[in-house]
Amino acid sequence: MTEPEQLFIGGRWTDPSTDQTIEVISPHTERPVATVPAAARADVDRAVAGARAAFDEGPWPRTAPEERVAAVSRLARLYKERRREMARLITAEMGSPISFSKFSQATLPMLLLDAFADIGSAFAWEQSRPGRFGGDILVRKEPVGVVGAIVPWNMPQFLLVGKLAPALIAGCPVVVKPSPETPLDALLLAELVAELDLPEGVVSILPAGAETGRHLVSHPGVDKVSFTGSTAVGREIAAVCGRSLTRVSLELGGKSAAVVLDDADPAAVAEGIKLAGLMNSGQTCVAQTRVLVPAARRKEYVDALTAMVTSLVVGDPSDPETEIGPLVTRRQQERVRGYIDEGRRAGARLLVGGAGMPEGVERGWYVRPTLFADVDNGMRIAQEEIFGPVLSVISYDDQDDAVRIANDCAYGLSGSVWTSDPGRGLDVARRVRSGSFGVNQPYSMDPAAPFGGMKASGIGRELGHEGLDGYLEAKSVSVGAG
Ligand code: NAD
């Protein structure tokens, strides 16, 4: 990819309205990786005006769904050819270990495009149902309108494509604002979208900071805001959308629990938590960082987790052996270190890690993989989203107590249960208030299934046919005899 000097507005590469730029810094070397234009308010205005015209007068919302599905399938094919480059870019800009980037940051988005194409092909766009007053009612699904999509940096492509694909299939023009930490993958995606030759105005991709995001969210030309990010910003956006009655869906933070039942094998649990709690160096919304273990077998599980965290390979994210890379920014590094200090102050027992640099690492925004035991679920490290490689072990008395602790949290995004009896596992899965859950695995993020949060983890669902529904309005038409 060559460093773009323009922004992707309404499907065309366009000169930016200002000379503001984003300098992408490598979290591993702390040196500049690339400089790209930053979108400003006037760029959003142009993109929204183009999207508005595309929706109100253009062909896109009125094309046959098969045509829109075909465009998304074509994007999946183009994506396949560039996915290795995509993985390398994401690792370079936000420090995700390349072992994680290859599948989760680059292949998964391609699979998402395919999955949405299948969902769109099988979707019931119009359905007739018998009315209660005689005659049939025609229920049509129509595009919700111009979409403003805002995504964070932690899984930038998965989250961006998870909005772009259903919005396009629904017939909505989209203005996307990626994070300033990760503009490069977004602009590579723009290159692929450009090849689709969609009607003017249908897709804009505008990397920028929060100020430009605020402008997009409050723009009167936007009909729906689809936001993924922190709960604090989600609340702010919900308030803005509430005033204008702009449709809004929110995918927010989490503090999920992995419930270890007393019949689970300690080694298998530790291996599972490595992925469930620490993938992407702990920077995932679904991270299961509260590990609930039965008090009677606490030592066995704590020993297995200690061995796992101690053995983690930390370092250069472009090395295929690396399991934990740097965090995305210095600010995030400082924030996570602050939580480690806070855990110690609150009386949690530090078993592995701590607030210093990992051994042998001299620069970069690294944090030592950290394990706390004797954590009380009321402590801040157990209640607040840390977004780094920090695990907390919490003991429980019996299965009811485990479910109570798992639910004693403001968030409700994900979770898991580990057991040799899947029946017991399902019982726990049914009782934990979260939008997704895994039995003997972290939740699998299957694109066929709805994904989203309960409680402070969000409103609405992405993925699955529910994800497509989020970009549609239902219209009921009753037809008289004439
Ligand atoms: P963030 O909320 O700070 O920023 C997210 C995006 O919103 C960025 O693009 C940012 O520029 C933009 N933004 C910030 N303030 C804004 C405002 N007032 N108006 C409009 N846009 C604004 O979050 P982050 O630190 O970038 O991402 C990490 C957070 O995202 C974590 O809390 C994580 O749990 C959450 N997340 C949730 C999911 C999910 O599906 N539920 C997935 C990934 C990440």
Side-chain angles (χ1 to χ4, degrees):
M1 184 195 177
T2 49
E3 249 172 65
E5 290 173 3
Q6 292 180 304
L7 293 167
F8 192 68
I9 301 184
R12 314 280 173 260
W13 289 105
T14 310
D15 286 335
S17 65
T18 70
D19 55 9
Q20 290 170 34
T21 55
I22 296 170
E23 189 174 47
V24 182
I25 311 279
S26 158
H28 173 57
T29 64
E30 301 183 33
R31 296 206 184 97
V33 172
T35 302
V36 297
R41 293 167 69 98
D43 302 303
V44 168
D45 290 341
R46 272 149 77 187
V48 174
R52 196 70 262 159
F55 186 72
D56 294 336
E57 296 137 36
W60 191 248
R62 285 160 278 277
T63 51
E66 301 80 66
E67 218 175 294
R68 303 195 298 258
V69 164
V72 169
S73 293
R74 172 133 194 268
L75 185 57
R77 291 197 293 280
L78 295 167
Y79 208 106
K80 190 172 182 186
E81 288 161 26
R82 305 287 290 273
R83 69 187 195 283
R84 286 185 193 82
E85 186 183 349
M86 192 62 97
R88 282 195 300 273
L89 270 185
I90 295 176
T91 288
E93 62 188 349
M94 56 73 67
S96 195
I98 193 71
S99 54
F100 182 79
S101 292
K102 272 189 182 158
F103 182 75
S104 301
Q105 301 277 31
T107 302
L108 205 49
M110 178 194 79
L111 298 177
L112 251 185
L113 289 165
D114 273 334
F116 268 117
D118 289 344
I119 289 165
S121 299
F123 200 72
W125 296 96
E126 282 195 353
Q127 267 183 322
S128 198
R129 64 175 78 156
R132 303 285 292 189
F133 305 140
D136 284 347
I137 306 288
L138 181 70
V139 180
R140 282 174 51 73
K141 292 291 178 76
E142 298 188 354
V144 68
V146 171
V147 172
I150 296 186
V151 283
W153 48 264
N154 66 317
M155 286 190 65
Q157 278 297 301
F158 180 73
L159 300 167
L160 200 170
V161 166
K163 298 181 190 309
L164 181 70
L168 286 179
I169 289 175
C172 300
V174 200
V175 179
V176 187
K177 193 211 75 66
S179 269
E181 291 84 359
T182 50
L184 303 181
D185 62 285
L187 293 169
L188 174 55
L189 181 71
E191 272 184 32
L192 305 181
V193 173
E195 287 188 51
L196 300 178
D197 215 12
L198 297 174
E200 197 169 343
V202 172
V203 178
S204 295
I205 298 183
L206 303 176
E211 220 24 70
T212 303
R214 269 194 199 97
H215 187 57
L216 177 61
V217 164
S218 58
H219 204 294
V222 171
D223 299 298
K224 160 154 181 154
V225 171
S226 176
F227 173 75
T228 300
S230 61
T231 294
V233 173
R235 287 186 206 280
E236 207 181 299
I237 289 177
V240 172
C241 291
R243 280 194 287 278
S244 52
L245 291 181
T246 304
R247 276 84 182 114
V248 62
S249 55
L250 305 167
E251 293 284 345
L252 310 176
K255 187 72 190 182
S256 300
V259 180
V260 179
L261 297 188
D262 56 10
D263 58 0
D265 168 43
V269 165
E271 206 46 36
I273 300 297
K274 183 165 84 160
L275 187 62
L278 299 170
M279 63 180 154
N280 205 16
S281 314
Q283 300 171 116
T284 59
C285 54
V286 289
Q288 291 155 34
T289 51
R290 289 187 296 150
V291 186
L292 313 190
V293 301
R297 289 190 69 189
R298 186 181 63 95
K299 185 171 179 325
E300 288 166 74
Y301 295 116
V302 166
D303 287 349
L305 288 165
T306 302
M308 181 274 285
V309 178
T310 307
S311 74
L312 288 166
V313 181
V314 184
D316 184 347
S318 64
D319 182 336
E321 299 298 315
T322 294
E323 294 174 300
I324 302 285
L327 301 186
V328 65
T329 53
R330 182 181 302 284
R331 192 169 71 97
Q332 192 62 16
Q333 180 194 37
E334 283 166 4
R335 197 172 158 268
V336 174
R337 285 178 170 171
Y339 273 111
I340 295 172
D341 288 338
E342 164 60 29
R344 296 182 88 157
R345 270 199 303 275
R349 190 157 55 97
L350 182 79
L351 294 180
V352 190
M357 281 295 257
E359 229 168 90
V361 178
E362 275 152 30
R363 62 160 187 274
W365 299 318
Y366 288 87
V367 168
R368 294 168 72 186
T370 295
L371 178 68
F372 281 111
D374 300 345
V375 176
D376 183 281
N377 196 51
M379 290 178 186
R380 280 183 59 206
I381 57 165
Q383 287 292 322
E384 296 177 18
E385 188 179 45
I386 297 178
F387 233 56
V390 182
L391 298 176
S392 293
V393 181
I394 301 167
S395 301
Y396 68 81
D397 297 331
D398 56 24
Q399 205 163 306
D400 287 345
D401 194 33
V403 170
R404 181 191 62 75
I405 296 171
N407 284 331
D408 181 12
C409 173
Y411 296 106
L413 191 60
S414 191
S416 63
V417 59
W418 304 82
T419 171
S420 53
D421 178 351
R424 282 181 77 194
L426 273 176
D427 176 55
V428 172
R430 289 190 179 104
R431 294 170 65 196
V432 173
R433 292 204 65 215
S434 70
S436 60
F437 209 80
V439 178
N440 291 327
Q441 52 170 285
Y443 177 66
S444 66
M445 300 300 292
D446 193 314
F451 176 78
M454 295 187 187
K455 305 194 277 185
S457 289
I459 297 176
R461 292 292 178 268
E462 296 196 323
L463 313 189
H465 66 80
E466 292 84 354
L468 177 54
D469 250 329
Y471 295 91
L472 295 164
E473 298 264 23
K475 179 193 273 182
S476 300
V477 183
S478 58
V479 184

